[in-house]
Amino acid sequence: MTNQTATPPTTTTHAAPPRSNPLQGLDWRRYVIYIGFVVVFLIFAVTLGGQGFLTGGNLLNIVRQTATVTVIAVGMTFVIAAAQIDLSVGATAGLASVVTAMTIANYGVILGIVAGLLTGLVVGSINGGLVAFLKIPSFLVTLGMLGIAAGVAQWITASAPQPILSDAYNKVFGSGDLGPIPGLVVWMVISVVVGAVVLAKTRFGRQVLATGGNPDAARFTGVNTRSITFRVLLISALLASLAGMLYAGQLQSGRYQWGTGDELSAIAAVILGGTSLFGGSGTVVGTVFGALLIGLINNGLILAGLDTSQQQVVRGAIIILAVALARRK
Amino acid sequence: MPSEPMPSDPTPTEPMPSAPTGLAVEMRGIYKSFDTTSVLRDVGFEVAKGEVHALAGGNGAGKSTLMKILQGVYTADQGEILIDGQPVTHSSIFEAKAAGIGMVFQEFSLIPTLTVAQNIYLGHEPLRGGRFINDREARRLAGEVFKIMEVDIDPGAVLGDLSTAYWQLTEIAKALAQNAQVLIMDEPTASLAKHETESLFQLVERLKAQGISIVYISHRMDEVYRIADRITILRDGRRLFTKRLTEVTPAQIVEGIVGKAVEGGLEYKKRARADSPTALLEVRNLQSGTRVNDVSFTLHEGEILGLAGLMGSGRTELARVLFGIDPLDSGEVLVRGTKVDLSSPRDASEHGIVLVPEDRRRQGLVLDHSVRDNLLLPVLGKLKRGPFVSDRAGRSLADQLIERFQVKVANPGRPVRLLSGGNQQKVVIAKWLGTDPDVLIMDEPTAGVDIGTKSEILETIRRLADTGKGVIVISSELPELLAVSDRVLVLRGGAIDSQLERTDIPNEESLQLAVQGV
Ligand SMILES: Nc1ncnc2c1ncn2[C@@H]1O[C@H](COP(=O)(O)OP(=O)(O)OP(=O)(O)O)[C@@H](O)[C@H]1O
Ligand SMILES: [Mg+2]
């Protein structure tokens, strides 16, 4: 029994360790969003160059038009990477826009900003609490929250637009420029950079990916998966409320309709950007390019003179194609 | 006056016989139940410093649960834990880790979407500037851990692309990287081949020499005798005894685990075989990717064919092709003389070929579904009454299978995830045997099952073959291959290296040499 004839420790007889083979090393599927972005860009540049596609003004416009959705999509990246979903972001943005506008009208700019962010804090805490601690699926919780937030926004405003008369607010939150760069774009860049670094380079980000990749294993490793789930939904709602405040500043009023449907654009941007719909992997930079690609397509189709119905069809087809190419085998 | 010899040791479960170094871990009176099922009852357990302590017991005896309590994954309902003499009330893994306890989990605590190095350092990543993760440093450190373990794994590979044995090695590296004072290893070798196991044992000895204590859970007797100083046996949630291995025979241990004496299911039994049996499965010049190279062999009715080989030798890949998971690039497969198309597992099972996969959690089970639903999944078609699945027939079939394979489950309606590791394995096997296949391919069929069940499974394999079915058994455990196979194919680099009649293999060593190609 004890006398195992000592087999010589064969140190190097391991057959074929899984060093990635040269073909796998060039896993182009991971970069499909960047390739797709470049391809679509080139196609439009060639075919729509005459319609002014390549002018600096138009390109800046594309970025400006996608800025708000990008801010939302940064938060959505965390949520989806953690294998959750947040359908309430669009409605939260609308609610934040009216809360901010109404508070500014009555109590001034500072309190208005605080109230807008507080909206996100409350919505996010409720979403996060219900999902993380009561274990209700995020799909249902945030679907319900979509209705609640949209309803509250419509109700407290009696469906009326809430003008914002503070120039300072409007300048900072969306209408103004920083030198040649639109203020909106500055907000977008800030959220993207912070989001990208947090997801890729901090322990919190790594734990988000771990929770999405395999919650049991993450728990066995000492990751507090509940707190992670709570926090991603909180982040998402906070960024959604920021987006709502940007809508309000850009359009100088709060309206319950702002942000309607943004959840779908944001989810599409995240998935196009290579984040797994089942959680566990994802990058914020990919998301940005996903959002920009959608913006690019929208812009190109308008310049090409397609009407709205045709635009929808083409856009849908391109998104399905891109996701199909990007899927892991 | 010469002193009388002292009366020999009073109780078998007496705590550590006066170790000068003291106890690294002491658990007293631990109780634990899940819902209403009581899993641990008044269990005591102590580990001395620098000791290798084996923990043994049947599937579902409560070994993993006891160790998860020590690791802070679960909290005991009652009882005390002392680490290094200090009482602890750790209710979280953080505290247990801080107290110097690390664990190699049986269920793997790994994230498939992260890389090997990212997994190893999850939660204690090396940081740059106190805040930002330094993945390059993590890869370098992970490479060093693997060097100590004497294995060759790319720390930058994404875990989900690797096979089970690499997961196991990563899981071990992950626990080692914590520099724990007490290292719990829950069946660390369940899917390792002999030489990896050997490197692990040498590592264990080095750790022990550094005063680190190791709790070693295993169903393999030879391993326990090879490295452990003492053994504790749990049976049905209670401690049966703790003894030095020098004071207990393997037969006593086996009897303690199983509750009765086990007679030679684990030894080779010569079976009656037809002189010119009909060919059941013929494989000709099979080629698939880089991992299966020009493989040809025939499996006869009533034959058990063993597949031996090192990790990465193409055994699993061959099984996957035969079960229609991976495409075959060229070559053909014949079932009872007719050429068949195996482009999906469904095709394969329609032709009577089934696979018990190597990784139960990823491939064998729908973890969140009930034990019953898992058992019935492959046979739903047979349970149809009109357009509906007959519930009554399903229940009774599931109950039969549970009974036949002695799956330890309080209620077949509970998720299979909650079963102990070995019992999950039984569910996978039972599930496929319910379909009454002609050709059964089993990839590491006894990984993690206890000795009693292992001999049951081997006996089942023999019985199946006796009724004319063909069985292909893949196993890294050579004694097991030798116990059941009529013939052994040795694979190397995806090709068949040699074919050996069982009667021509004198002993385990000679098969080991054939596998290593020396
Ligand atoms: N989270 C849980 N919920 C409910 N029951 C559980 C849970 N975890 C374990 N059990 C039950 O507790 C019992 C003991 O399980 P445990 O995993 O400790 O067994 P084990 O001794 O490690 O067995 P094996 O050798 O198969 O790994 C089993 O019957 C199992 O079904
Ligand atoms: Mg166990």
Side-chain angles (χ1 to χ4, degrees):
Chain A
M1 313 136 230
T2 35
N3 57 338
Q4 284 267 339
T5 26
T7 22
T10 44
T11 3
T12 45
T13 43
H14 289 259
R19 300 265 173 213
S20 35
N21 75 39
L23 269 176
Q24 265 177 336
L26 279 173
D27 184 4
W28 59 274
R29 286 169 196 277
R30 285 180 52 196
Y31 304 106
V32 84
I33 179 62
Y34 308 109
I35 301 170
F37 182 83
V38 171
V39 169
V40 172
F41 187 90
L42 290 179
I43 293 176
F44 284 169
V46 172
T47 55
L48 299 173
Q51 278 92 312
F53 175 77
L54 278 179
T55 59
N58 186 52
L59 295 181
L60 204 55
N61 225 354
I62 295 177
V63 180
R64 189 187 295 136
Q65 277 161 2
T66 52
T68 352
V69 166
T70 306
V71 170
I72 295 179
V74 169
M76 190 67 80
T77 310
F78 283 81
V79 174
I80 295 183
Q84 303 292 345
I85 193 85
D86 188 350
L87 300 175
S88 64
V89 284
T92 304
L95 179 61
S97 82
V98 300
V99 168
T100 306
M102 291 168 82
T103 314
I104 290 176
N106 294 310
Y107 305 100
V109 172
I110 302 292
L111 283 181
I113 296 171
V114 172
L117 291 174
L118 219 53
T119 309
L121 193 74
V122 171
V123 171
S125 306
I126 297 175
N127 283 346
L130 291 175
V131 175
F133 300 106
L134 295 188
K135 307 246 183 291
I136 309 175
S138 53
F139 188 91
L140 296 178
V141 168
T142 60
L143 186 63
M145 185 54 80
L146 187 166
I148 294 172
V152 169
Q154 198 170 349
W155 185 16
I156 59 177
T157 60
S159 305
Q162 307 294 315
I164 299 179
L165 302 175
S166 159
D167 272 349
Y169 177 89
N170 291 336
K171 270 229 166 63
V172 173
F173 285 89
S175 307
D177 296 319
L178 195 74
I181 309 164
L184 264 186
V185 177
V186 175
W187 281 109
M188 167 180 132
V189 170
I190 293 174
S191 19
V192 166
V193 170
V194 173
V197 170
V198 169
L199 185 58
K201 287 284 163 199
T202 65
R203 285 192 177 156
F204 169 72
R206 190 56 57 73
Q207 294 185 344
V208 168
L209 295 175
T211 303
N214 183 347
D216 280 338
R219 210 166 48 84
F220 283 7
T221 312
V223 175
N224 187 342
T225 51
R226 282 190 200 177
S227 142
I228 295 290
T229 308
F230 179 85
R231 284 195 275 173
V232 293
L233 286 162
L234 186 61
I235 290 174
S236 169
L238 280 173
L239 284 170
S241 65
L242 174 61
M245 291 158 68
L246 293 174
Y247 275 124
Q250 187 187 3
L251 301 156
Q252 305 180 359
S253 67
R255 279 192 196 215
Y256 74 92
Q257 296 103 321
W258 297 158
T260 307
D262 278 3
E263 58 278 359
L264 296 183
S265 316
I267 293 170
V270 171
I271 302 302
L272 273 176
T275 296
S276 163
L277 193 46
F278 308 107
S281 67
T283 63
V284 169
V285 177
T287 298
V288 175
F289 277 84
L292 286 175
L293 178 61
I294 296 175
L296 199 64
I297 294 169
N298 287 342
N299 180 273
L301 298 181
I302 293 170
L303 289 184
L306 270 63
D307 69 34
T308 340
S309 53
Q310 293 166 324
Q311 284 175 33
Q312 285 184 12
V313 174
V314 177
R315 194 188 314 142
I318 294 182
I319 289 177
I320 292 175
L321 184 74
V323 174
L325 287 174
R327 83 186 194 288
R328 290 177 64 111
K329 62 165 177 15
Chain B
M1 191 180 168
S3 59
E4 291 256 326
M6 293 291 288
S8 62
D9 110 64
T11 62
T13 49
E14 176 207 32
M16 187 58 198
S18 67
T21 39
L23 292 179
V25 171
E26 187 175 359
M27 300 176 84
R28 291 186 196 145
I30 302 286
Y31 283 80
K32 176 76 188 171
S33 14
F34 292 105
D35 304 329
T36 52
T37 28
S38 142
V39 172
L40 295 173
R41 275 162 286 175
D42 193 20
V43 175
F45 183 65
E46 38 307 293
V47 185
K49 285 184 183 157
E51 174 189 41
V52 179
H53 196 126
L55 183 56
N59 293 132
K63 306 178 294 292
S64 300
T65 305
L66 185 66
M67 289 302 106
K68 282 181 185 165
I69 289 172
L70 184 54
Q71 177 69 52
V73 175
Y74 297 145
T75 327
D77 300 338
Q78 244 185 74
E80 273 184 291
I81 303 175
L82 285 80
I83 293 175
D84 219 353
Q86 300 298 312
V88 291
T89 50
H90 53 232
S91 49
S92 85
I93 301 173
F94 282 122
E95 293 164 53
K97 278 187 177 168
I101 297 183
M103 179 154 176
V104 175
F105 286 93
Q106 186 181 18
E107 302 89 349
F108 297 135
S109 63
L110 304 174
I111 317 289
T113 49
L114 298 182
T115 67
V116 170
Q118 288 173 344
N119 266 293
I120 292 176
Y121 289 96
L122 184 61
H124 55 114
E125 291 87 356
L127 297 181
R128 193 186 285 143
R131 178 160 295 187
F132 300 114
I133 290 178
N134 186 344
D135 269 324
R136 184 176 314 153
E137 177 70 1
R139 278 199 297 277
R140 191 184 67 75
L141 293 170
E144 277 175 11
V145 177
F146 285 130
K147 207 174 285 165
I148 295 172
M149 289 169 64
E150 300 184 343
V151 295
D152 185 15
I153 298 183
D154 175 7
V158 175
L159 205 75
D161 298 338
L162 306 182
S163 69
T164 315
Y166 291 102
W167 282 55
Q168 185 114 59
L169 291 167
T170 306
E171 179 76 31
I172 294 171
K174 184 175 167 184
L176 287 178
Q178 288 173 32
N179 297 319
Q181 284 308 301
V182 178
L183 192 57
I184 306 162
M185 298 188 165
D186 197 347
E187 300 190 32
T189 59
S191 49
L192 294 189
K194 182 135 187 169
H195 50 285
E196 282 122 21
T197 306
E198 190 56 39
S199 322
L200 180 69
F201 289 167
Q202 288 169 5
L203 187 68
V204 164
E205 262 146 32
R206 267 175 279 158
L207 293 174
K208 182 177 156 180
Q210 293 165 24
I212 292 173
S213 313
I214 288 155
V215 180
Y216 191 84
I217 302 183
S218 175
H219 291 295
R220 299 185 182 176
M221 259 333 98
D222 53 342
E223 294 185 352
V224 168
Y225 274 96
R226 165 84 163 71
I227 57 163
D229 303 309
R230 290 194 300 161
I231 184 168
T232 292
I233 293 190
L234 293 185
R235 192 200 294 165
D236 291 335
R238 292 179 193 276
R239 170 155 73 172
L240 201 65
F241 61 73
T242 296
K243 283 188 177 165
R244 303 200 154 276
L245 280 159
T246 46
E247 295 163 355
V248 57
T249 67
Q252 284 170 320
I253 293 180
V254 171
E255 191 170 342
I257 292 171
V258 183
K260 58 174 197 253
V262 171
E263 68 286 347
L266 305 173
E267 257 123 58
Y268 177 57
K269 285 186 197 151
K270 200 156 167 46
R271 295 181 313 114
R273 289 165 69 200
D275 288 335
S276 52
T278 12
L280 197 55
L281 180 78
E282 284 167 82
V283 174
R284 294 187 189 150
N285 308 101
L286 202 68
Q287 186 78 37
S288 168
T290 53
R291 294 296 194 84
V292 180
N293 284 319
D294 196 21
V295 169
S296 306
F297 67 88
T298 307
L299 174 71
H300 299 99
E301 274 183 357
E303 187 178 37
I304 304 173
L305 191 61
L307 286 189
L310 295 173
M311 192 157 105
S313 62
R315 298 167 301 169
T316 295
E317 287 76 8
L318 176 58
R320 287 169 62 96
V321 177
L322 292 178
F323 191 50
I325 300 172
D326 293 342
L328 71 169
D329 299 335
S330 65
E332 50 188 28
V333 178
L334 289 82
V335 174
R336 295 188 192 282
T338 21
K339 188 165 182 274
V340 294
D341 172 32
L342 300 175
S343 35
S344 71
R346 195 188 164 117
D347 287 344
S349 53
E350 264 165 20
H351 291 110
I353 303 175
V354 304
L355 170 70
V356 172
E358 123 186 90
D359 183 341
R360 54 179 172 260
R361 281 173 296 267
R362 281 193 289 169
Q363 301 149 358
L365 296 170
V366 186
L367 284 175
D368 286 327
H369 288 191
S370 69
V371 173
R372 184 185 300 130
D373 288 348
N374 271 285
L375 286 171
L376 298 181
L377 190 58
V379 291
L380 284 180
K382 287 190 198 159
L383 296 172
K384 267 206 228 143
R385 187 176 294 160
F388 304 109
V389 173
S390 158
D391 225 25
R392 173 125 38 93
R395 275 166 194 273
S396 85
L397 178 58
D399 288 346
Q400 277 172 32
L401 291 170
I402 288 170
E403 168 81 30
R404 187 164 143 211
F405 290 91
Q406 294 166 26
V407 182
K408 193 173 179 238
V409 54
N411 170 2
R414 308 195 64 198
V416 76
R417 177 167 47 82
L418 300 181
L419 262 54
S420 77
N423 280 301
Q424 292 182 6
Q425 183 66 22
K426 292 188 204 171
V427 173
V428 183
I429 295 181
K431 151 182 164 176
W432 283 117
L433 290 187
T435 67
D436 197 23
D438 282 340
V439 176
L440 182 65
I441 307 170
M442 305 177 112
D443 197 352
E444 304 287 355
T446 63
V449 304
D450 62 42
I451 301 188
T453 316
K454 180 182 285 188
S455 89
E456 288 296 324
I457 291 177
L458 297 185
E459 215 24 76
T460 310
I461 293 177
R462 291 186 192 110
R463 263 200 316 269
L464 280 170
D466 286 342
T467 61
K469 315 218 178 261
V471 186
I472 298 178
V473 179
I474 300 175
S475 176
S476 309
E477 238 183 298
L478 299 185
E480 173 176 308
L481 273 188
L482 290 172
V484 289
S485 309
D486 300 318
R487 206 152 44 98
V488 177
L489 299 184
V490 178
L491 264 70
R492 177 195 316 280
I496 292 183
D497 195 60
S498 53
Q499 282 207 34
L500 308 164
E501 283 295 324
R502 171 63 181 92
T503 40
D504 296 340
I505 306 174
N507 53 26
E508 190 190 332
E509 273 69 37
S510 68
L511 183 56
Q512 179 66 32
L513 294 180
V515 165
Q516 291 186 337
V518 273

